[in-house]
Amino acid sequence: MDKLVYTAATGLRAHMAAQAAIANNMANGSTTGFRADRVVFDRIELKGGGAQIAARMPSAEEVTDADRTAGAIQQTGRPLDVAVAGDAWIAVQAADGQEAYTRRGDLEIAPSGVLQTGDGHIVMGQSGPITLPPASSVSIGADGSITIVPQGADASQTQIVDKLKLASAKGTDTVKGLDNLLYVRGGGTLPEDLDARVQGGALEGSNVNMTQALVDMIENQRSYEVTANLMKSAKDMDESSTSLLRLPS
């Protein structure tokens, strides 16, 4: 069988994976702080016998990173909503307990008093997860400091209870996980960025460009169809070659 069919098969698999990534981006077009996946196609180079094989190379698809472009800022007026400025990220606790990072700033207080993001990840402070005591009001400053007015206290009796851990991912080796959180590649944590700032009463939206995502999906679908036709062509050539080898009856 012509090796073209194997080359086409890897192309189909790559396009299917790319379609899934594009669909995921479109599904999260309105998710707070979402970063779109970037899909890159590449060819797999086969080397052997002292020469590089340059024809009919299989293709590979990989989600190499997330688009780090900031999303649009929307004013909400809600005290616990924060939009992170620049390259900073909010440190949170991932499902497996390790520290991860998010741009999702729709914070809320759980019944237990733990501060968490809108998707349930515990927010990290100066010395671990942030837990707030009962308070009549809570506000977050530009540097991430959390100020409360204790229950029963006068409005002027404010108290700083903790500070969001804000870390900069600029120049670091980080990777986006399947849970939309940013991780340090190979494990570890990012140092706190003391110059990082947040904007209170606002949220950063998704950075997915829906128009571009739709164009990417159509182009990927057409490429899939072209690759599928290659498999059909390989089948036709194989049948033609086989018919030449048949002995006359």
Side-chain angles (χ1 to χ4, degrees):
M1 181 180 292
D2 195 299
K3 291 183 174 58
L4 173 61
V5 70
Y6 299 109
T7 304
T10 61
L12 289 177
R13 183 175 57 188
H15 285 300
M16 290 178 64
Q19 196 79 344
I22 296 171
N24 181 62
N25 288 342
M26 296 181 70
N28 287 279
S30 60
T31 301
T32 302
F34 181 79
R35 289 291 187 267
D37 291 325
R38 293 194 305 181
V39 181
V40 174
F41 284 90
D42 198 3
R43 62 182 185 179
I44 301 175
E45 295 186 354
L46 307 177
K47 298 182 179 180
Q52 180 175 324
I53 301 174
R56 295 186 179 176
M57 290 183 176
S59 61
E61 169 274 335
E62 181 182 7
V63 178
T64 58
D65 194 10
D67 182 358
R68 305 297 177 92
T69 306
I73 303 298
Q74 303 172 349
Q75 299 296 325
T76 65
R78 183 171 173 270
L80 290 181
D81 285 344
V82 291
V84 186
D87 298 312
W89 294 68
I90 301 173
V92 297
Q93 188 177 74
D96 60 359
Q98 68 173 310
E99 185 171 294
Y101 308 92
T102 183
R103 295 279 291 198
R104 183 162 185 163
D106 54 341
L107 309 184
E108 56 187 27
I109 302 173
S112 61
V114 174
L115 187 66
Q116 62 185 23
T117 60
D119 52 356
H121 292 105
I122 298 175
V123 179
M124 305 296 288
Q126 298 296 290
S127 56
I130 298 176
T131 303
L132 303 178
S136 57
S137 68
V138 181
S139 62
I140 301 177
D143 62 347
S145 58
I146 303 173
T147 304
I148 68 168
V149 175
Q151 279 187 350
D154 185 80
S156 62
Q157 298 176 338
T158 59
Q159 177 184 350
I160 298 177
V161 295
D162 210 331
K163 182 175 179 290
L164 301 176
K165 180 180 178 181
L166 302 173
S168 176
K170 186 176 182 180
T172 62
D173 189 11
T174 51
V175 61
K176 179 185 173 185
L178 296 177
D179 53 4
N180 295 326
L181 298 179
L182 197 71
Y183 294 87
V184 177
R185 193 184 299 273
T189 61
L190 296 176
E192 184 178 6
D193 184 359
L194 299 178
D195 296 325
R197 292 292 181 266
V198 298
Q199 180 180 345
L203 288 176
E204 178 185 355
S206 171
N207 70 346
V208 175
N209 185 325
M210 294 298 290
T211 302
Q212 184 60 49
L214 182 59
V215 171
D216 291 341
M217 177 170 282
I218 294 173
E219 289 182 348
N220 188 70
Q221 180 63 32
R222 289 177 177 174
S223 297
Y224 181 93
E225 293 172 356
V226 170
T227 308
N229 288 334
L230 285 178
M231 295 192 71
K232 184 177 182 299
S233 298
K235 174 178 176 294
D236 293 340
M237 288 189 293
D238 186 63
E239 290 178 348
S240 299
S241 300
T242 304
S243 64
L244 293 175
L245 298 177
R246 293 174 184 167
L247 295 175
S249 56

